[in-house]
Amino acid sequence: MQLINQSEVQRRIDDLKDQDLYIHLEMTTGAYAAHFDSSKHPAATFITNAIIRFSHGSISGSGPYRVGLKMEHGWVYSEGLTHYEETEPERLIMAGHDSQGKLIVSLQLSRQPF
Amino acid sequence: MERHILVVLPHPDDEAFGLSGTLAKHIKNGTQVTYACLTLGEMGRNMGIPPFATRVTLPSIRKGELEESCRAIGIQDLRMLGFHDKTIEFEDQDLLDAKINDIIKEVRPSLIFTFYPGYSVHPDHDATGAAVIRTVARLPKDERPTVHCIAFAKNLEQGIGHPDVLVDVKEFLPQKVQSILAHRSQFQVAELLNSTDHTSKEIQDRFGTERFWTYKFD
């Protein structure tokens, strides 16, 4: 994974618009959050290989970044993204890692199922 | 001596801290070990520092780490059952139990290791332990293997008392440390990385004893 290059990610988002895409969207505080610190609230959610289509999409912020994708009847939104996978030209693989390197959020788009 | 041990755990790396030394000890005594690992830890949060795994590559990376850990311990038979991380508690119980039952029927273990249901923190751990207990409980009493459980919840001693099986694994710390280090995307254990001295007091105190609760069936 590389630190997000905003203009490169924007170019890839534009390449993926107006077509059916498989999405993986996730946010997690980790299954052990409350075990290590009882004041923490463990929460996690993910959706994998749902199909979406967006007409406008952009990445904003100055890092960590936000991404919003406008669909016919709604939105995809993700905040806290720090890294993307440069070596995956066909798919957009993005994630946010915390200060310990742990994944806390991810947003992935692909023309093929994950 | 145990003839055949079956280990049933949900994630690659669940074997490393809790029972790799015990398994290495049994294997040195000539025991066969079958390890059924339910998932590839696809949803793990640790991606390496700096992150070298992605959500897409993590399963294959963790599969390789699991195989390396098993080689370090000496496990002869690794089965990856193909379930998905975080979903064990939602799986079709009949399907889950049937997979475990098939392996029990095949290898006829004298001893099974799994997580203690309700005292193992991660929902996948609890659900895996519950599936093993359900499956073993269905066997006729005289055919049931012994089940030794790992547990690490905060409240466990009020619930299930003290562990009744303590295994001294100091002699097997080289295998245990290699098992832990195999999971390089998951663990960054500084003192292990900086020290290969398995005789140091700190390493022996922290990793030299493994503890289990024998599950009491009715």
Side-chain angles (χ1 to χ4, degrees):
Chain A
M1 297 286 264
Q2 295 75 40
L3 288 170
I4 281 175
N5 173 329
Q6 191 171 2
S7 58
E8 174 59 19
V9 169
Q10 183 63 54
R11 193 188 63 72
R12 292 181 186 212
I13 290 172
D14 293 339
D15 276 352
L16 292 168
K17 74 178 185 180
D18 295 324
Q19 57 198 282
D20 285 350
L21 299 169
Y22 293 89
I23 185 169
H24 172 86
L25 180 65
E26 171 185 3
M27 185 165 175
T28 177
T29 61
Y32 297 99
H35 181 66
F36 293 131
D37 177 353
S38 60
S39 71
K40 292 281 195 303
H41 181 91
T45 190
F46 68 86
I47 183 168
T48 290
N49 289 333
I51 297 173
I52 69 150
R53 174 187 281 256
F54 65 90
S55 57
H56 301 277
S58 54
I59 178 166
S60 70
S62 53
Y65 295 92
R66 301 178 296 282
V67 166
L69 308 174
K70 186 176 186 182
M71 302 182 293
E72 187 180 3
H73 298 293
W75 285 87
V76 172
Y77 173 84
S78 186
E79 180 173 11
L81 298 163
T82 55
H83 288 74
Y84 82 121
E85 186 53 60
E86 189 179 50
T87 62
E88 289 265 6
E90 293 299 310
R91 306 187 286 196
L92 183 55
I93 311 288
M94 286 181 286
H97 298 98
D98 67 16
S99 57
Q100 298 168 320
K102 292 178 192 293
L103 184 142
I104 197 158
V105 60
S106 73
L107 171 59
Q108 304 181 162
L109 298 167
S110 171
R111 297 178 184 97
Q112 303 298 325
F114 288 102
Chain B
M1 187 197 118
E2 302 294 340
R3 188 186 60 78
H4 202 129
I5 288 174
L6 173 62
V7 181
V8 186
L9 302 170
H11 310 123
D13 79 15
D14 284 337
E15 78 288 350
F17 285 99
L19 83 164
S20 60
T22 300
L23 293 176
K25 190 172 194 168
H26 281 291
I27 289 163
K28 193 194 171 198
N29 289 334
T31 303
Q32 287 287 310
V33 174
T34 295
Y35 177 10
C37 190
L38 270 58
T39 83
L40 291 177
E42 294 91 339
M43 302 306 292
R45 294 183 66 216
N46 292 315
M47 297 288 166
I49 297 177
F52 59 81
T54 72
R55 267 283 167 269
V56 174
T57 60
L58 191 64
S60 63
I61 288 173
R62 295 197 69 178
K63 178 171 181 282
E65 293 174 348
L66 175 63
E67 290 165 341
E68 186 181 327
S69 167
C70 288
R71 280 195 297 276
I73 299 167
I75 291 171
Q76 305 95 339
D77 179 23
L78 169 64
R79 318 269 180 105
M80 289 172 268
L81 300 196
F83 292 99
H84 193 284
D85 195 8
K86 279 190 181 288
T87 67
I88 304 304
E89 62 184 320
F90 307 111
E91 259 298 348
D92 175 352
Q93 284 192 359
D94 293 340
L95 172 72
L96 192 59
D97 296 3
K99 293 254 191 194
I100 294 168
N101 192 52
D102 285 349
I103 300 174
I104 292 174
K105 288 276 189 272
E106 180 195 333
V107 308
R108 300 230 158 245
S110 50
L111 175 63
I112 297 181
F113 286 97
T114 190
F115 281 109
Y116 206 116
Y119 294 92
S120 297
V121 183
H122 192 299
D124 283 338
H125 297 172
D126 286 335
T128 299
V132 170
I133 298 302
R134 273 198 309 272
T135 303
V136 173
R138 274 189 217 109
L139 299 172
K141 276 187 181 176
D142 58 350
E143 291 180 22
R144 285 178 197 156
T146 303
V147 179
H148 285 172
C149 298
I150 307 166
F152 63 104
K154 287 221 159 62
N155 63 340
L156 57 89
E157 288 183 350
Q158 295 95 306
I160 55 176
H162 293 282
D164 61 318
V165 179
L166 298 177
V167 183
D168 181 343
V169 300
K170 291 189 199 74
E171 194 188 326
F172 299 92
L173 283 174
Q175 289 93 324
K176 181 167 184 165
V177 169
Q178 282 310 115
S179 163
I180 294 168
L181 291 178
H183 297 287
R184 57 185 60 77
S185 72
Q186 300 302 299
F187 302 134
Q188 289 83 33
V189 188
E191 63 267 43
L192 291 179
L193 294 169
N194 295 334
S195 159
T196 50
D197 179 8
H198 306 120
T199 60
S200 78
K201 184 167 187 317
E202 189 193 348
I203 298 276
Q204 297 221 338
D205 286 351
R206 185 163 167 198
F207 299 112
T209 305
E210 294 174 350
R211 51 191 210 150
F212 307 97
W213 283 255
T214 305
Y215 193 86
K216 294 180 183 68
F217 293 91
D218 296 333

